[in-house]
PDB file of all heavy atoms in Angstrom:
ATOM      1  N   ILE A   1      -4.920 -45.346 -57.117  1.00 98.00           N
ATOM      2  CA  ILE A   1      -4.819 -45.878 -55.860  1.00 98.00           C
ATOM      3  C   ILE A   1      -6.032 -46.671 -55.465  1.00 98.00           C
ATOM      4  O   ILE A   1      -5.905 -47.758 -54.885  1.00 98.00           O
ATOM      5  CB  ILE A   1      -4.431 -44.678 -54.835  1.00 98.00           C
ATOM      6  CG1 ILE A   1      -3.147 -44.075 -55.075  1.00 98.00           C
ATOM      7  CG2 ILE A   1      -4.625 -45.149 -53.354  1.00 98.00           C
ATOM      8  CD1 ILE A   1      -2.961 -42.769 -54.369  1.00 98.00           C
ATOM      9  N   GLU A   2      -7.279 -46.116 -55.787  1.00 97.00           N
ATOM     10  CA  GLU A   2      -8.364 -46.851 -55.581  1.00 97.00           C
ATOM     11  C   GLU A   2      -8.531 -48.208 -56.167  1.00 97.00           C
ATOM     12  O   GLU A   2      -9.153 -49.114 -55.629  1.00 97.00           O
ATOM     13  CB  GLU A   2      -9.579 -45.975 -55.825  1.00 97.00           C
ATOM     14  CG  GLU A   2     -10.933 -46.543 -55.327  1.00 97.00           C
ATOM     15  CD  GLU A   2     -12.124 -45.448 -55.237  1.00 97.00           C
ATOM     16  OE1 GLU A   2     -11.757 -44.189 -55.419  1.00 97.00           O
ATOM     17  OE2 GLU A   2     -13.212 -45.821 -55.144  1.00 97.00           O
ATOM     18  N   ILE A   3      -7.872 -48.393 -57.447  1.00 97.00           N
ATOM     19  CA  ILE A   3      -8.031 -49.719 -58.063  1.00 97.00           C
ATOM     20  C   ILE A   3      -6.840 -50.553 -57.774  1.00 97.00           C
ATOM     21  O   ILE A   3      -6.682 -51.625 -58.374  1.00 97.00           O
ATOM     22  CB  ILE A   3      -8.218 -49.427 -59.629  1.00 97.00           C
ATOM     23  CG1 ILE A   3      -7.061 -48.775 -60.171  1.00 97.00           C
ATOM     24  CG2 ILE A   3      -9.632 -48.735 -59.880  1.00 97.00           C
ATOM     25  CD1 ILE A   3      -7.219 -48.617 -61.728  1.00 97.00           C
ATOM     26  N   GLY A   4      -5.899 -50.112 -56.850  1.00 97.00           N
ATOM     27  CA  GLY A   4      -4.913 -51.046 -56.323  1.00 97.00           C
ATOM     28  C   GLY A   4      -3.504 -50.676 -56.280  1.00 97.00           C
ATOM     29  O   GLY A   4      -2.724 -51.386 -55.785  1.00 97.00           O
ATOM     30  N   PHE A   5      -3.066 -49.621 -57.027  1.00 98.00           N
ATOM     31  CA  PHE A   5      -1.719 -49.229 -57.011  1.00 98.00           C
ATOM     32  C   PHE A   5      -1.355 -48.372 -55.815  1.00 98.00           C
ATOM     33  O   PHE A   5      -2.202 -47.669 -55.145  1.00 98.00           O
ATOM     34  CB  PHE A   5      -1.332 -48.321 -58.200  1.00 98.00           C
ATOM     35  CG  PHE A   5      -1.318 -49.109 -59.509  1.00 98.00           C
ATOM     36  CD1 PHE A   5      -2.274 -48.997 -60.388  1.00 98.00           C
ATOM     37  CD2 PHE A   5      -0.287 -50.051 -59.782  1.00 98.00           C
ATOM     38  CE1 PHE A   5      -2.331 -49.746 -61.673  1.00 98.00           C
ATOM     39  CE2 PHE A   5      -0.182 -50.697 -61.006  1.00 98.00           C
ATOM     40  CZ  PHE A   5      -1.243 -50.626 -61.924  1.00 98.00           C
ATOM     41  N   GLY A   6       0.049 -48.501 -55.419  1.00 97.00           N
ATOM     42  CA  GLY A   6       0.420 -47.557 -54.402  1.00 97.00           C
ATOM     43  C   GLY A   6       0.684 -46.212 -54.950  1.00 97.00           C
ATOM     44  O   GLY A   6       0.616 -46.000 -56.078  1.00 97.00           O
ATOM     45  N   ALA A   7       0.709 -45.212 -54.033  1.00 97.00           N
ATOM     46  CA  ALA A   7       0.650 -43.792 -54.464  1.00 97.00           C
ATOM     47  C   ALA A   7       1.914 -43.523 -55.334  1.00 97.00           C
ATOM     48  O   ALA A   7       1.751 -42.871 -56.402  1.00 97.00           O
ATOM     49  CB  ALA A   7       0.791 -42.927 -53.252  1.00 97.00           C
ATOM     50  N   GLU A   8       3.149 -44.037 -55.035  1.00 97.00           N
ATOM     51  CA  GLU A   8       4.239 -43.722 -55.917  1.00 97.00           C
ATOM     52  C   GLU A   8       4.149 -44.318 -57.224  1.00 97.00           C
ATOM     53  O   GLU A   8       4.498 -43.704 -58.289  1.00 97.00           O
ATOM     54  CB  GLU A   8       5.520 -44.306 -55.132  1.00 97.00           C
ATOM     55  CG  GLU A   8       6.863 -43.967 -55.801  1.00 97.00           C
ATOM     56  CD  GLU A   8       8.054 -44.434 -55.115  1.00 97.00           C
ATOM     57  OE1 GLU A   8       7.872 -44.812 -54.010  1.00 97.00           O
ATOM     58  OE2 GLU A   8       9.121 -44.262 -55.621  1.00 97.00           O
ATOM     59  N   MET A   9       3.668 -45.705 -57.324  1.00 98.00           N
ATOM     60  CA  MET A   9       3.494 -46.182 -58.705  1.00 98.00           C
ATOM     61  C   MET A   9       2.405 -45.512 -59.385  1.00 98.00           C
ATOM     62  O   MET A   9       2.587 -45.424 -60.672  1.00 98.00           O
ATOM     63  CB  MET A   9       3.204 -47.718 -58.455  1.00 98.00           C
ATOM     64  CG  MET A   9       3.103 -48.528 -59.728  1.00 98.00           C
ATOM     65  SD  MET A   9       4.636 -48.546 -60.640  1.00 98.00           S
ATOM     66  CE  MET A   9       5.654 -49.596 -59.642  1.00 98.00           C
ATOM     67  N   ALA A  10       1.255 -45.246 -58.750  1.00 98.00           N
ATOM     68  CA  ALA A  10       0.262 -44.568 -59.454  1.00 98.00           C
ATOM     69  C   ALA A  10       0.718 -43.191 -60.015  1.00 98.00           C
ATOM     70  O   ALA A  10       0.335 -42.843 -61.113  1.00 98.00           O
ATOM     71  CB  ALA A  10      -0.937 -44.396 -58.511  1.00 98.00           C
ATOM     72  N   GLN A  11       1.583 -42.439 -59.294  1.00 98.00           N
ATOM     73  CA  GLN A  11       1.993 -41.122 -59.892  1.00 98.00           C
ATOM     74  C   GLN A  11       2.934 -41.340 -61.016  1.00 98.00           C
ATOM     75  O   GLN A  11       2.811 -40.622 -61.959  1.00 98.00           O
ATOM     76  CB  GLN A  11       2.876 -40.455 -58.711  1.00 98.00           C
ATOM     77  CG  GLN A  11       3.502 -39.164 -59.042  1.00 98.00           C
ATOM     78  CD  GLN A  11       4.159 -38.407 -57.990  1.00 98.00           C
ATOM     79  OE1 GLN A  11       3.458 -38.216 -56.922  1.00 98.00           O
ATOM     80  NE2 GLN A  11       5.370 -37.914 -58.199  1.00 98.00           N
ATOM     81  N   PHE A  12       3.855 -42.409 -60.827  1.00 98.00           N
ATOM     82  CA  PHE A  12       4.707 -42.652 -62.103  1.00 98.00           C
ATOM     83  C   PHE A  12       3.993 -43.008 -63.339  1.00 98.00           C
ATOM     84  O   PHE A  12       4.160 -42.448 -64.348  1.00 98.00           O
ATOM     85  CB  PHE A  12       5.764 -43.687 -61.732  1.00 98.00           C
ATOM     86  CG  PHE A  12       6.578 -44.137 -62.845  1.00 98.00           C
ATOM     87  CD1 PHE A  12       7.683 -43.267 -63.248  1.00 98.00           C
ATOM     88  CD2 PHE A  12       6.430 -45.239 -63.471  1.00 98.00           C
ATOM     89  CE1 PHE A  12       8.372 -43.678 -64.454  1.00 98.00           C
ATOM     90  CE2 PHE A  12       7.141 -45.788 -64.619  1.00 98.00           C
ATOM     91  CZ  PHE A  12       8.127 -44.880 -65.137  1.00 98.00           C
ATOM     92  N   ILE A  13       3.115 -43.980 -63.180  1.00 98.00           N
ATOM     93  CA  ILE A  13       2.257 -44.499 -64.367  1.00 98.00           C
ATOM     94  C   ILE A  13       1.467 -43.342 -64.969  1.00 98.00           C
ATOM     95  O   ILE A  13       1.425 -43.091 -66.137  1.00 98.00           O
ATOM     96  CB  ILE A  13       1.367 -45.641 -63.959  1.00 98.00           C
ATOM     97  CG1 ILE A  13       2.184 -46.882 -63.491  1.00 98.00           C
ATOM     98  CG2 ILE A  13       0.394 -45.981 -65.105  1.00 98.00           C
ATOM     99  CD1 ILE A  13       1.296 -47.911 -62.990  1.00 98.00           C
ATOM    100  N   THR A  14       0.795 -42.499 -64.099  1.00 98.00           N
ATOM    101  CA  THR A  14      -0.049 -41.437 -64.666  1.00 98.00           C
ATOM    102  C   THR A  14       0.928 -40.306 -65.320  1.00 98.00           C
ATOM    103  O   THR A  14       0.584 -39.929 -66.510  1.00 98.00           O
ATOM    104  CB  THR A  14      -0.799 -40.695 -63.378  1.00 98.00           C
ATOM    105  OG1 THR A  14      -1.625 -41.735 -62.829  1.00 98.00           O
ATOM    106  CG2 THR A  14      -1.658 -39.666 -63.970  1.00 98.00           C
ATOM    107  N   ALA A  15       1.927 -39.992 -64.686  1.00 97.00           N
ATOM    108  CA  ALA A  15       2.779 -38.933 -65.283  1.00 97.00           C
ATOM    109  C   ALA A  15       3.409 -39.283 -66.599  1.00 97.00           C
ATOM    110  O   ALA A  15       3.421 -38.471 -67.507  1.00 97.00           O
ATOM    111  CB  ALA A  15       3.931 -38.553 -64.241  1.00 97.00           C
ATOM    112  N   GLN A  16       3.934 -40.531 -66.617  1.00 98.00           N
ATOM    113  CA  GLN A  16       4.478 -41.063 -67.839  1.00 98.00           C
ATOM    114  C   GLN A  16       3.485 -41.189 -68.948  1.00 98.00           C
ATOM    115  O   GLN A  16       3.760 -40.953 -70.094  1.00 98.00           O
ATOM    116  CB  GLN A  16       5.243 -42.361 -67.653  1.00 98.00           C
ATOM    117  CG  GLN A  16       5.795 -42.953 -68.908  1.00 98.00           C
ATOM    118  CD  GLN A  16       6.958 -42.045 -69.558  1.00 98.00           C
ATOM    119  OE1 GLN A  16       7.696 -41.384 -68.739  1.00 98.00           O
ATOM    120  NE2 GLN A  16       7.037 -42.014 -70.792  1.00 98.00           N
ATOM    121  N   THR A  17       2.201 -41.548 -68.606  1.00 97.00           N
ATOM    122  CA  THR A  17       1.134 -41.621 -69.559  1.00 97.00           C
ATOM    123  C   THR A  17       0.726 -40.363 -70.125  1.00 97.00           C
ATOM    124  O   THR A  17       0.503 -40.221 -71.368  1.00 97.00           O
ATOM    125  CB  THR A  17      -0.013 -42.286 -68.948  1.00 97.00           C
ATOM    126  OG1 THR A  17       0.349 -43.619 -68.465  1.00 97.00           O
ATOM    127  CG2 THR A  17      -1.178 -42.568 -69.910  1.00 97.00           C
ATOM    128  N   VAL A  18       0.669 -39.275 -69.307  1.00 97.00           N
ATOM    129  CA  VAL A  18       0.437 -37.943 -69.766  1.00 97.00           C
ATOM    130  C   VAL A  18       1.536 -37.421 -70.719  1.00 97.00           C
ATOM    131  O   VAL A  18       1.267 -36.931 -71.722  1.00 97.00           O
ATOM    132  CB  VAL A  18       0.243 -36.974 -68.544  1.00 97.00           C
ATOM    133  CG1 VAL A  18       0.119 -35.598 -69.090  1.00 97.00           C
ATOM    134  CG2 VAL A  18      -1.002 -37.320 -67.820  1.00 97.00           C
ATOM    135  N   LYS A  19       2.806 -37.739 -70.371  1.00 96.00           N
ATOM    136  CA  LYS A  19       3.953 -37.387 -71.127  1.00 96.00           C
ATOM    137  C   LYS A  19       3.791 -38.064 -72.478  1.00 96.00           C
ATOM    138  O   LYS A  19       3.948 -37.422 -73.501  1.00 96.00           O
ATOM    139  CB  LYS A  19       5.267 -37.672 -70.392  1.00 96.00           C
ATOM    140  CG  LYS A  19       6.487 -37.336 -71.193  1.00 96.00           C
ATOM    141  CD  LYS A  19       7.674 -37.757 -70.414  1.00 96.00           C
ATOM    142  CE  LYS A  19       8.975 -37.265 -71.240  1.00 96.00           C
ATOM    143  NZ  LYS A  19      10.201 -37.724 -70.661  1.00 96.00           N
ATOM    144  N   GLY A  20       3.430 -39.265 -72.501  1.00 97.00           N
ATOM    145  CA  GLY A  20       3.247 -39.936 -73.755  1.00 97.00           C
ATOM    146  C   GLY A  20       2.256 -39.366 -74.694  1.00 97.00           C
ATOM    147  O   GLY A  20       2.271 -39.298 -75.870  1.00 97.00           O
ATOM    148  N   ALA A  21       1.078 -39.078 -73.976  1.00 96.00           N
ATOM    149  CA  ALA A  21      -0.075 -38.395 -74.714  1.00 96.00           C
ATOM    150  C   ALA A  21       0.316 -37.152 -75.375  1.00 96.00           C
ATOM    151  O   ALA A  21      -0.061 -36.821 -76.558  1.00 96.00           O
ATOM    152  CB  ALA A  21      -1.220 -38.222 -73.770  1.00 96.00           C
ATOM    153  N   THR A  22       1.052 -36.242 -74.632  1.00 96.00           N
ATOM    154  CA  THR A  22       1.348 -34.978 -75.143  1.00 96.00           C
ATOM    155  C   THR A  22       2.329 -35.177 -76.393  1.00 96.00           C
ATOM    156  O   THR A  22       2.260 -34.491 -77.365  1.00 96.00           O
ATOM    157  CB  THR A  22       2.123 -34.034 -74.153  1.00 96.00           C
ATOM    158  OG1 THR A  22       3.267 -34.806 -73.609  1.00 96.00           O
ATOM    159  CG2 THR A  22       1.218 -33.879 -72.940  1.00 96.00           C
ATOM    160  N   GLU A  23       3.312 -36.190 -76.242  1.00 95.00           N
ATOM    161  CA  GLU A  23       4.247 -36.418 -77.344  1.00 95.00           C
ATOM    162  C   GLU A  23       3.509 -36.834 -78.643  1.00 95.00           C
ATOM    163  O   GLU A  23       3.843 -36.619 -79.725  1.00 95.00           O
ATOM    164  CB  GLU A  23       5.290 -37.372 -76.908  1.00 95.00           C
ATOM    165  CG  GLU A  23       6.329 -36.754 -76.055  1.00 95.00           C
ATOM    166  CD  GLU A  23       7.107 -35.614 -76.552  1.00 95.00           C
ATOM    167  OE1 GLU A  23       7.428 -35.700 -77.774  1.00 95.00           O
ATOM    168  OE2 GLU A  23       7.206 -34.626 -75.935  1.00 95.00           O
ATOM    169  N   LEU A  24       2.408 -37.696 -78.392  1.00 96.00           N
ATOM    170  CA  LEU A  24       1.550 -38.066 -79.521  1.00 96.00           C
ATOM    171  C   LEU A  24       1.091 -36.966 -80.285  1.00 96.00           C
ATOM    172  O   LEU A  24       1.056 -36.937 -81.502  1.00 96.00           O
ATOM    173  CB  LEU A  24       0.363 -39.015 -79.074  1.00 96.00           C
ATOM    174  CG  LEU A  24       0.725 -40.455 -78.712  1.00 96.00           C
ATOM    175  CD1 LEU A  24      -0.425 -41.208 -78.111  1.00 96.00           C
ATOM    176  CD2 LEU A  24       1.294 -41.222 -79.933  1.00 96.00           C
ATOM    177  N   VAL A  25       0.494 -35.969 -79.607  1.00 95.00           N
ATOM    178  CA  VAL A  25      -0.069 -34.833 -80.316  1.00 95.00           C
ATOM    179  C   VAL A  25       1.060 -33.948 -80.896  1.00 95.00           C
ATOM    180  O   VAL A  25       0.897 -33.502 -81.932  1.00 95.00           O
ATOM    181  CB  VAL A  25      -0.915 -33.984 -79.210  1.00 95.00           C
ATOM    182  CG1 VAL A  25      -1.366 -32.695 -79.827  1.00 95.00           C
ATOM    183  CG2 VAL A  25      -2.064 -34.801 -78.683  1.00 95.00           C
ATOM    184  N   LEU A  26       2.120 -33.632 -80.105  1.00 94.00           N
ATOM    185  CA  LEU A  26       3.083 -32.797 -80.541  1.00 94.00           C
ATOM    186  C   LEU A  26       3.911 -33.314 -81.751  1.00 94.00           C
ATOM    187  O   LEU A  26       4.159 -32.615 -82.634  1.00 94.00           O
ATOM    188  CB  LEU A  26       4.169 -32.530 -79.446  1.00 94.00           C
ATOM    189  CG  LEU A  26       3.683 -31.649 -78.267  1.00 94.00           C
ATOM    190  CD1 LEU A  26       4.603 -31.583 -77.157  1.00 94.00           C
ATOM    191  CD2 LEU A  26       3.359 -30.120 -78.802  1.00 94.00           C
TER     192      LEU A  26
END
């Protein structure tokens, strides 16, 4: 949010990124 995204978009991008990171490891 501080670097320019709205709260909803920041949540989606972050959550999907974390999901991708876990799948890379798993």
Side-chain angles (χ1 to χ4, degrees):
I1 294 168
E2 191 163 345
I3 60 177
F5 286 107
E8 186 175 347
M9 184 62 73
Q11 176 172 312
F12 173 74
I13 292 173
T14 303
Q16 181 60 36
T17 301
V18 171
K19 183 179 180 182
T22 60
E23 287 300 319
L24 283 173
V25 173
L26 289 171

